[in-house]
Amino acid sequence: MGLFDRHAGLLEAYRDVRTTGYDPFQIRMERVLSPTKAIINGRETLLVGTNNYFGLTFDPSCMEAAIEAIRAEGTGTTGSRIANGSYSEHVALEKEIAEFYGKKHCMVFTTGYQANLGVIATLAGQGDFLLIDADSHASIYDACKMTQAEVVRFKHNDPTSLEARLRRLGDKPGNRVVVLEGIYSMLGDSAPLREFVDVCKKYGAYVLIDEAHSLGALGEHGRGLCEKAGVLDDCHFIVGTFSKTLGAIGGYCVSDDPDFDILRVTVRSYMFTASLPPSIVASVRQALRVVKARPELRTQLWDNVATLYDGLKAQGFTLGPEHGPVVGVHLPDRMTAIGFWRAMLDAGIYVNVAVPPATPNGVSLLRCSLCAVHTKEQLDHMVEVMTGIGRQFGVLPDKQLRAAGAR
Amino acid sequence: MRTAHQLTVENDGIADTLTLTRGISRAEVISEICAHLEPYQTGEKPITGETVIAKDLTIDSLAIMDMVMELEDRFDVSIPMSVIAEIHTVDQLADTIRDLRTQA
Ligand SMILES: Cc1ncc(COP(=O)(O)O)c(C=O)c1O
């Protein structure tokens, strides 16, 4: 058997995708102009698929902070914190994130992926039980491959399904660790966190929540779903990323557990990879200040969510179950999704296309993510463009038919 | 909440009937599994105990895990992901479910 033979099915699917002309997994941004604009295929394109929720990638204060840090401390740390030591900025950033959540401890990682991978695989060890939502992010699934704990999936966003699985464990010894996400990255739906927390309390389970897509977006201070649901104190571990709302790269985990720092010498994805460079740490610290100082960005983001979600819904598109900074548009199959995606790109709008096996329940999606600095005009235009393509692809009923049906 | 099996230990008088509710025939488990797998059947070949789930059918690994979740709730057992990874045939899945039920 050849090395790549086991990927035969995937290769074939990928070949199909490429017959459409563009390869959605190798898009080249020839030049990025702003949080919402880039040159793709030689034309100025509206970006609605970059998780840049607050548009902070071009925030002048964040950019200046990063430039200053490079001048002061150089371009990189060239090693991990346990080998090369922590810069005082790493420590300062950890303190600021801990304070942001009102938690005692924080550990910063080089990516959010590594934070989930290392923390989850380490927290639940031999003899423990790890219970994960069926629609969990790849980083959570990969942690499940590394852990020595017994892993069980429960139905997406279904506290009753979790409860059944905790109940079945009966009085078996071992810790129970439940992993949830604030906002799910494909359809933009939120976990019923309060109900989940009640179940976890009843069975003495620890709660770890990944707020990757909800940092900044949810809660009075932008702390995420745990703040919005009023259960910050009941979430034992909160994981997040700097790569979305904060416009840079990196991950973190906060907790009140008194022994939390032992993770610094047990989590391999923290110990055996280089720490974040000074420029990133500086821009993230500044971005966190912006999130605190400018709550209007959150309001703008949700206004934009409403414009796109309600606009598409009114035209008859099938969307994710609720408003969210991610708006998932359901399409009937993979090839329609890819054709639709390409037609949008030709019309100057970039979104993500998500097809099985990367999606829950085998659905094919256009995944749109909104930015606080999109304008209403841009989004109205996008709804118009998508409606036109939707009719052309037969995803939406024809205009005449619609009119006839309405009579 | 207690499981029926735990109750058999504590309530001698009704032990027999309750043990029966926990015990379930192999045929019943297999027929339930086959019902879930039917949509993924290819060609004329019927689904049997020897059917290799990931190979003989058009079901992908994620859909297998989702089916397992349904079966877990139907039979009130939890099958750890590492155990699912070791299961290849319909028979093996059925036996795993029955074993877990008697252990519970
Ligand atoms: C839910 C979720 N968790 C974690 C991550 C990983 O974040 P990062 O980009 O920092 O590795 C992502 C982003 O892809 C995500 O969507």
Side-chain angles (χ1 to χ4, degrees):
Chain A
M1 190 172 121
L3 277 178
F4 296 101
D5 288 359
R6 71 173 53 101
H7 304 297
L10 197 56
L11 274 171
E12 199 175 314
Y14 196 21
R15 217 169 284 135
D16 284 351
V17 165
R18 282 187 290 196
T19 58
T20 59
Y22 302 142
D23 181 342
F25 308 112
Q26 292 199 40
I27 270 292
R28 188 166 314 141
M29 305 262 166
E30 282 136 26
R31 207 149 71 82
V32 178
L33 305 171
S34 76
T36 56
K37 290 260 173 75
I39 308 283
I40 301 177
N41 297 328
R43 82 170 273 175
E44 189 172 299
T45 303
L46 179 66
L47 302 177
V48 195
T50 59
N51 309 313
N52 199 349
Y53 300 122
F54 277 19
L56 295 186
T57 48
F58 282 79
D59 179 278
S61 68
C62 296
M63 287 161 76
E64 282 311 315
I67 292 162
E68 192 121 321
I70 287 190
R71 292 199 198 288
E73 301 204 89
T75 52
T77 64
T78 64
S80 83
R81 300 210 5 221
I82 55 162
N84 292 21
S86 296
Y87 288 30
S88 29
E89 280 71 19
H90 290 129
V91 179
L93 173 59
E94 285 176 341
K95 189 160 166 279
E96 285 161 9
I97 297 171
E99 280 168 9
F100 178 65
Y101 284 101
K103 298 269 185 194
K104 290 198 180 72
H105 307 281
C106 172
M107 253 170 96
V108 162
F109 292 77
T110 307
T111 66
Y113 175 88
Q114 286 162 299
N116 269 340
L117 187 72
V119 171
I120 294 171
T122 308
L123 281 178
Q126 185 99 48
D128 293 335
F129 300 94
L130 191 54
L131 298 105
I132 67 162
D133 187 287
D135 288 2
S136 289
H137 186 257
S139 53
I140 297 168
Y141 272 103
D142 289 356
C144 293
K145 287 187 185 163
M146 284 175 38
T147 180
Q148 303 289 312
E150 233 175 56
V151 184
V152 174
R153 296 162 89 226
F154 54 88
K155 287 186 187 162
H156 175 55
N157 275 353
D158 186 344
T160 314
S161 178
L162 170 64
E163 171 151 23
R165 281 151 184 78
L166 285 168
R167 171 180 54 74
R168 282 178 208 139
L169 292 176
D171 49 14
K172 282 189 199 167
N175 295 312
R176 283 89 168 122
V177 180
V178 173
V179 180
L180 306 166
E181 290 175 38
I183 292 179
Y184 282 82
S185 60
M186 286 295 157
L187 291 168
D189 51 333
S190 291
L193 187 55
R194 217 169 231 290
E195 290 84 341
F196 271 129
V197 163
D198 286 343
V199 170
C200 291
K201 273 190 184 162
K202 184 170 162 192
Y203 291 88
Y206 291 96
V207 179
L208 179 146
I209 180 162
D210 177 359
E211 299 269 19
H213 295 269
S214 32
L215 169 64
L218 294 178
E220 200 190 333
H221 302 90
R223 291 170 195 150
L225 183 63
C226 52
E227 182 184 26
K228 185 183 175 203
V231 294
L232 253 168
D233 291 342
D234 300 310
C235 293
H236 305 88
F237 301 93
I238 301 169
V239 176
T241 176
F242 304 146
S243 74
K244 305 183 196 299
T245 299
L246 300 182
I249 190 169
Y252 60 90
C253 178
V254 297
S255 174
D256 275 329
D257 194 295
D259 295 324
F260 185 72
D261 272 340
I262 195 69
L263 294 180
R264 291 188 199 272
V265 290
T266 48
V267 173
R268 297 166 66 83
S269 64
Y270 175 87
M271 298 162 67
F272 298 107
T273 194
S275 61
L276 288 173
S279 52
I280 298 295
V281 176
S283 84
V284 168
R285 289 181 68 192
Q286 179 56 26
L288 195 60
R289 280 184 212 116
V290 174
V291 166
K292 287 192 255 190
R294 298 187 54 201
E296 69 272 18
L297 290 171
R298 183 163 36 260
T299 316
Q300 282 167 232
L301 173 65
W302 286 99
D303 285 350
N304 286 344
V305 169
T307 301
L308 184 67
Y309 189 101
D310 298 347
L312 292 174
K313 186 115 210 160
Q315 295 297 335
F317 282 103
T318 309
L319 308 176
E322 56 182 304
H323 278 192
V326 175
V327 175
V329 183
H330 285 270
L331 290 171
D333 55 73
R334 175 187 279 139
M335 292 315 278
T336 309
I338 290 170
F340 203 120
W341 170 84
R342 188 201 155 143
M344 284 182 71
L345 200 55
D346 285 339
I349 302 173
Y350 174 78
V351 297
N352 309 128
V353 60
V355 292
T359 50
N361 305 318
V363 298
S364 293
L365 292 173
L366 292 177
R367 179 186 175 278
C368 316
S369 55
L370 288 141
C371 183
V373 299
H374 281 133
T375 65
K376 180 150 191 327
E377 292 67 39
Q378 286 171 333
L379 297 172
D380 285 341
H381 169 69
M382 175 169 170
V383 170
E384 207 171 290
V385 168
M386 288 182 75
T387 304
I389 300 170
R391 294 221 176 91
Q392 193 189 321
F393 275 65
V395 174
L396 294 180
D398 199 88
K399 216 177 199 163
Q400 276 89 33
L401 289 177
R402 252 167 81 93
R407 241 178 268 136
Chain B
M1 241 174 92
R2 294 167 174 152
T3 64
H5 187 70
Q6 282 173 314
L7 284 174
T8 63
V9 182
E10 291 163 26
N11 303 299
D12 264 345
I14 49 166
D16 282 357
T17 45
L18 283 172
T19 317
L20 269 180
T21 62
R22 199 67 208 165
I24 198 156
S25 79
R26 191 150 185 271
E28 200 176 325
V29 181
I30 290 186
S31 103
E32 185 85 18
I33 297 171
C34 290
H36 278 282
L37 290 176
E38 220 161 70
Y40 304 100
Q41 198 174 344
T42 51
E44 296 296 292
K45 224 172 126 198
I47 302 174
T48 67
E50 282 97 66
T51 300
V52 180
I53 300 169
K55 216 165 171 188
D56 299 343
L57 307 170
T58 59
I59 189 166
D60 64 35
S61 57
L62 201 60
I64 293 176
M65 293 207 292
D66 289 343
M67 170 188 73
V68 167
M69 233 165 18
E70 296 294 336
L71 293 168
E72 285 178 334
D73 290 334
R74 165 69 181 80
F75 294 112
D76 198 27
V77 294
S78 294
I79 313 178
M81 274 173 71
S82 58
V83 174
I84 301 173
E86 298 295 313
I87 293 172
H88 302 292
T89 64
V90 170
D91 275 343
Q92 286 169 346
L93 179 54
D95 290 341
T96 304
I97 290 172
R98 275 167 49 85
D99 289 350
L100 285 167
R101 275 181 73 88
T102 45
Q103 280 166 30

